[in-house]
Amino acid sequence: MMTFKRVCPPWQLWLNRLIALGVGILLMWLVIGLYSEGRAAWAVAILALGSLSIYIYSSAKTLAWRYLFPGVAGMIVFVAFPLLYTVQIGFTNYSASNLLSEERARAYLLDQSTVDENSAYFFTLHREKTTLRILLTPPTDSHETTRFISSAIKLDRDHASDAPIEMQTLTTTINSLGAPMSLREVLVYRDVLMAVRLKLPDNRTLQYVGVREFGSIVPSWNATADGALVQQSTGEIYVPNAVTGFFETAQGARMQPGFKVGIGFANYTRMMFDADIRGPFLSIFVWTIVFAGLTVLFSTILGMSLAMVLNWEALRYRTVYRTLLFLPYAVPGFISILIFKGLFNQNFGEINAILNALFGIRPAWFADPLLAKTMLLIVNTWLGYPYIMVLCTGLIKSIPADLYEASAIAGAKPLTNAVRITIPLLIKPLTPLLIAAFAFNFNNFVLISLLTDGRPDYLNTKLPAGTTDILVSYTYRIAFTDAGTNFGLAAAISTLIFFMVALLSLANLKLARVNEKKG
Amino acid sequence: MPIVTGKSQHWRIWAAHAGLCILIAITLFPLLAVISISFRPGNFSTGSLIPTEISLEHWKLALGIGITLPDGTRMEPPFPVLLWLWNSIKIAGISAMLIVAISTTAAYAFARLQFAHKNSILNSMLLLQMFPVAVALVAIYAIFDSVGNVVPWLGIETHAGLIVAYMGGVAIHIWTIKAYFETIPVEIEENAKVDGASHWQTFRFVLLPMAVPILMVVFVLAFIGTIIEYPVASILLREEPNLTLAVGSKFYLYEQKYLWGDFAAAAVLSGLPITLVFLAAQRWIVSGLTSGGVKG
């Protein structure tokens, strides 16, 4: 018999307090870090989540939530929040060209600097035993005549990270200096020279700009009080435009990088009315439904027939058959899909080798849209039928045997049994599961991505779109693979997918409830 | 079953056997072909399906051993398959352990404790799980990109980040464990409470030891689920030594660099253990799949 001590020993109480304190400090460090990075929203979110967890684990009133919290928090942070966040991104212009927030885009531009070519100096290196001196000479056409000299230094890598090298005004004589080093000798020091900064007595800082020149660095941009930026080289004023998400001149010239702004329903109107996107979008939408529908249809026909045949008691070796037929489901999807990718290869693939030997044909499985779609359906049926087969095997067992006895007395053939008894009784409990399978294949990103990657592509589209792309792989391409990395548009399409999934889930829920009441 | 058998019965059984054998041949063709290809010399040969000469070159490369070709050129392994396998096992192992931990405690609350909105919380969790992660990839990428700016070891290109991202997929496991807890008579725990045990003690010392079988099952399910996960891993991990098997394997079959034989060996090497684990856990996986739907 186990005995329990209800009272905590004092050291454990102190340990708990210590842990709470540690977590609190960690939390504050994180929040302050986020806030100082200019991510106030993140800081607030983390603060809320953190305080909530400390409250739950230290208060006496929240017993159930101590057990629930990790799981629920995981779902909220990594499932619910990404869904909502995706919807929000769908209303912005978040993309490769509008990646940063306005403040960070401004900070980035203000950080840019250019070399003032007009204030360039020629430089020469002069050897002095083991040390070197840098001599700066103004160009001959310049009105300046002052020359500058550094102290004798060892020009090695240490200077790269050091403070700028101080330069002094050179007084008349340069006798002590040896002859300038040749260009070839200077080039040896190129890496170090590129890293060093030279500081003139008037506080100008010079930087390596060419094999013979040092020039001064000036910031490219100046901020004005109202948030606009002035380009130093042209004097043009770039005003942040909250509609387009760029710093723009009055003439509409844009400066990269842009920043993230809300653009309302622009991504959605683009999907509906921009002919370049609407065309492929609609075809992809139709194909997604056809793909998911046909996959479920073929897998169901095959899986159900197999389940019925394997339920036939007169048949021997049924367990062996069942195990072997279940194998496609047991092999990890990413491996079997890639195996098919290799087998279907037009030139080196074994499937074409066989077809060539038998019929003398080598179909272009990956280049022809119709063949590529056929291949996807073949592979997906292969992947999908064992699941349906197993489901049906389970469901068939619950069909009362007396139905078959009655039909046997009536002299019915096996086919009649299947069509009149088995299939009608299977379909009803199977429907919610088939809807779930449809929803799964509607978003079967792994198959498309690994087998065809959406190719072959449509020609003449602004955004690359593939003939075998389904909606979810299309959004992946828009967001992650192609040049125009457009997170906003991708998120808008994802939002549409959410609605489809939500509808399917509701249908599923309703049918499952109806079945449960009857059963 | 007292079904009257006709004369055609015998013939029909033979037809069924023949049909099943043909179907099994088609079904197993890709799997057997890839095993054969892994022993066939060269990456391009389209020779016979049953290799005429057995070559271990692909297997050596898959196991990270360099080989010397007959013409004297040295071949180094194209990809670190064993490293990827290790990454996969590490990530899946840690994720599965954490998933088991947090789903067990949550399942305990759902099965034994009373709190407000219990059913609606459970139902919304199951409903949420129906949204595939692949659809929210943009947001997940953005989240980890921002997190990485503050906490570098939890950002993009880190295994810790990926493991944390997998902590969202617990609803099904909570459901499975909860159903199991409900089959255990609550009286045993009540006795422990009479003996003076706290909630945590009854959970830890009374309920958990009885639930070990289901925890093992959930561990295996979560392990398989994460080891074959592709979408999230493919956006969070990009650099070669960091990849998991699911993300890395596709690099074998690029048009420009088509390593069919090497892929075959790597696929068999990495796919076989996962397949065997899956077959061993088949019974529970299937029952998990069928009961996974949302129930009120």
Side-chain angles (χ1 to χ4, degrees), chain A residues 328-339 382-383 446-447 450, chain B residues 228:
Chain A
Y329 202 76
V331 178
F334 70 92
I335 285 180
S336 45
I337 293 167
L338 287 172
I339 290 176
W382 186 91
L383 288 167
V446 179
L447 174 71
L450 289 182
Chain B
I228 64 173

Side-chain angles (χ1 to χ4, degrees), chain A residues 1-2 4-6 30 33-34 37 39 42 63-65 67-68 70-72 74-75 78-83 85-86 89 94 302 306 309-310 312 314-317 321 324-332 334-335 338-343 345 347-348 350-351 354 382 385 387 390-391 405 408 414 433 443 445-446 449-450 472 476 479-480 487 490 494 497-498 501-502 505 508-509 512-513 516, chain B residues 2-3 9 12-13 16-17 20-21 23-24 27-31 34 37 40 44 46 49 102 105-106 108-110 113 115 121 125 127-128 130-132 134-144 146 149-151 164-165 167-168 170-171 195-201 203 205 227-228 230-231 234-235 245-246 249-250 253 258 260 263 267 270-271 274-275 278-279 282 286 289-290 294-296:
Chain A
M1 186 71 219
M2 216 184 278
F4 298 96
K5 286 182 189 163
R6 171 148 272 175
L30 203 66
L34 279 164
E37 282 258 325
R39 296 164 190 276
W42 284 93
L63 182 76
W65 280 95
Y67 293 92
L68 278 177
V72 173
M75 294 234 36
F78 297 110
V79 183
F81 177 65
L83 293 179
Y85 193 35
T86 306
I89 292 174
Y94 191 31
L302 192 58
L306 283 172
V309 172
L310 290 175
W312 191 12
L315 202 70
R316 292 175 70 196
Y317 312 119
Y321 285 142
L324 288 176
L325 287 168
F326 183 74
L327 262 182
Y329 202 76
V331 178
F334 70 92
I335 285 180
L338 287 172
I339 290 176
F340 273 109
K341 185 175 180 176
L343 290 176
N345 187 290
N347 300 315
F348 315 118
E350 275 64 22
I351 287 176
I354 293 171
W382 186 91
Y385 83 82
Y387 171 56
V390 170
L391 291 182
E405 287 167 25
L433 297 162
N443 294 306
F445 170 72
V446 179
S449 166
L450 289 182
V472 62
Y476 183 88
F480 295 108
F487 296 122
S494 296
I497 303 177
F498 292 159
V501 176
S505 307
N508 191 346
L509 196 72
R513 285 244 168 92
E516 222 159 66
Chain B
I3 295 174
Q9 174 86 329
R12 268 202 232 109
I13 286 179
H17 277 296
L20 284 170
C21 285
L23 202 70
I24 286 172
T27 303
L28 296 190
F29 164 72
L31 305 177
V34 85
I37 289 159
R40 199 175 61 186
F44 291 99
T46 50
L49 268 177
I102 64 179
T105 53
Y108 174 70
F110 280 119
L113 302 175
F115 53 95
I121 291 172
M125 284 174 86
L127 202 67
L128 263 180
M130 288 200 167
F131 291 89
V135 184
L137 287 180
V138 172
I140 290 175
Y141 180 84
I143 290 171
F144 281 94
S146 315
N149 284 333
V150 188
V151 193
V164 167
M167 289 306 113
V170 291
D195 287 344
S198 69
H199 269 287
W200 174 254
Q201 283 169 327
F203 170 65
F205 297 109
I227 209 165
I228 64 173
Y230 170 75
S234 81
I235 56 157
L245 214 52
S249 301
K250 67 174 174 190
L253 297 182
Y258 192 75
W260 187 211
F263 166 77
S270 53
I274 306 177
T275 308
F278 199 99
L279 283 177
Q282 170 187 351
V286 171
L289 285 173
T290 46
V294 178
K295 290 175 183 169

Side-chain angles (χ1 to χ4, degrees), chain B residues 84 187 255:
Chain B
W84 288 346
E187 286 76 16
E255 280 305 323

Side-chain angles (χ1 to χ4, degrees), chain A residues 188-222:
Chain A
V188 173
Y189 294 97
R190 188 163 155 265
D191 286 348
V192 190
L193 287 170
M194 282 173 84
V196 298
R197 301 276 180 278
L198 305 183
K199 198 173 173 205
L200 300 189
D202 59 357
N203 272 339
R204 274 185 294 164
T205 311
L206 303 187
Q207 193 183 356
Y208 183 87
V209 291
V211 286
R212 293 172 189 284
E213 284 179 316
F214 265 78
S216 62
I217 326 155
V218 289
S220 312
W221 298 89
N222 259 353

